[in-house]
Amino acid sequence: MARDKEKKSSKDSQEQARPEQARHSAKERPRLRSRFDKEVAPALLKELELKNAMAVPRLNKIVVNMGMGEATQNSKILDPAVNELGLITGQKPIVTKAKKSIAAFKVREGQAIGTMVTLRGDRMYEFFDRLVNIVLPRVRDFKGVSTKSFDGRGNYTLGLHDQLIFPEISYEKVDKMKGMNVTIVTTAANDNQARTLLKHLGMPFRTQ
């Protein structure tokens, strides 16, 4: 009995000594994702005259690709690119390799030539939110993005000239300007549906 009481008292003291933990450990839902469910999806259902809510176009994934052709001569320049892309997207990038050898460009099959990240779910919505509300307005003389950069299957590709427009990148730590392509893959049946979706999500298309 005495031993049981000692064990119980020691257990109680340990529980009291532990720091108080939050009851809800789940990550907060991205604001753009909540806005899509509450406002954008119903608006698209009505505007596109769709009969089924499951047919409403939505974001599928976002692929951010940074090509580094100079890596064929010096593979070490890939390291800063991988680090910067990781800071920009919040996800560890993968190194892309050449699928075949091209003698004219001095590229060998399997040689590292760039880095990329594929974003899905909450990270995809968070990145898109930052892209349209923070990053693109930081572009010098920005007048909107082109409405013609669709591939005919509802996917949109946007080219960015340098990484300094992202607030996560420090100017002092950048050794070289690096451009990148941002491909937004949607479930839209055609380019018109995809254009309407991105417009409702805040993509700043040019008026002319």
Side-chain angles (χ1 to χ4, degrees):
M1 290 291 292
R3 289 183 179 178
D4 293 340
K5 289 182 180 179
E6 288 178 3
K7 289 182 180 179
K8 187 177 180 180
S9 60
S10 63
K11 186 177 181 181
D12 292 340
S13 62
Q14 287 177 2
E15 289 180 352
Q16 290 176 359
R18 288 174 185 170
E20 197 172 321
Q21 296 180 354
R23 294 182 180 180
H24 302 287
S25 58
K27 188 179 178 182
E28 187 177 352
R29 189 178 179 84
R31 65 173 186 171
L32 185 62
R33 191 165 197 171
S34 299
R35 180 171 161 265
F36 176 83
D37 293 337
K38 295 178 182 178
E39 302 175 17
V40 177
L44 289 173
L45 186 67
K46 183 178 180 181
E47 184 173 343
L48 298 175
E49 298 179 351
L50 300 172
K51 297 180 180 179
N52 189 347
M54 297 302 293
V56 172
R58 61 190 67 234
L59 298 180
N60 184 24
K61 63 181 178 180
I62 295 179
V63 180
V64 186
N65 178 50
M66 187 181 288
M68 299 294 295
E70 300 90 342
T72 58
Q73 306 299 322
N74 182 11
S75 60
K76 291 184 179 180
I77 67 172
L78 265 178
D79 295 336
V82 171
N83 293 334
E84 289 171 2
L85 192 57
L87 289 173
I88 289 170
T89 60
Q91 183 173 309
K92 185 178 179 180
I94 63 171
V95 175
T96 55
K97 298 181 179 180
K99 294 182 179 179
K100 61 180 181 179
S101 300
I102 305 176
F105 295 101
K106 300 180 180 179
V107 176
R108 299 189 306 274
E109 184 180 355
Q111 191 172 19
I113 55 173
T115 180
M116 67 172 288
V117 163
T118 301
L119 301 172
R120 301 178 188 271
D122 287 352
R123 283 182 178 172
M124 173 186 67
Y125 280 98
E126 288 172 353
F127 178 82
F128 188 91
D129 195 1
R130 286 188 291 115
L131 179 69
V132 299
N133 293 306
I134 299 175
V135 176
L136 291 179
R138 287 163 61 97
V139 176
R140 181 178 295 180
D141 300 327
F142 181 69
K143 296 180 181 178
V145 298
S146 174
T147 58
K148 300 178 182 179
S149 299
F150 290 89
D151 65 352
R153 294 174 291 181
N155 305 319
Y156 185 80
T157 300
L158 173 67
L160 302 176
H161 293 294
D162 66 82
Q163 73 277 42
L164 291 175
I165 58 177
F166 289 90
E168 294 86 0
I169 302 299
S170 175
Y171 181 83
E172 293 79 10
K173 297 180 180 179
V174 171
D175 58 342
K176 184 180 180 181
M177 298 295 183
K178 305 178 187 71
M180 68 190 75
N181 288 328
V182 179
T183 301
I184 302 168
V185 181
T186 74
T187 62
N190 52 57
D191 290 349
N192 181 51
Q193 286 191 2
R195 191 179 294 108
T196 305
L197 166 65
L198 296 183
K199 189 175 180 180
H200 275 279
L201 291 176
M203 181 64 80
F205 290 113
R206 293 182 195 141
T207 53
Q208 294 180 352

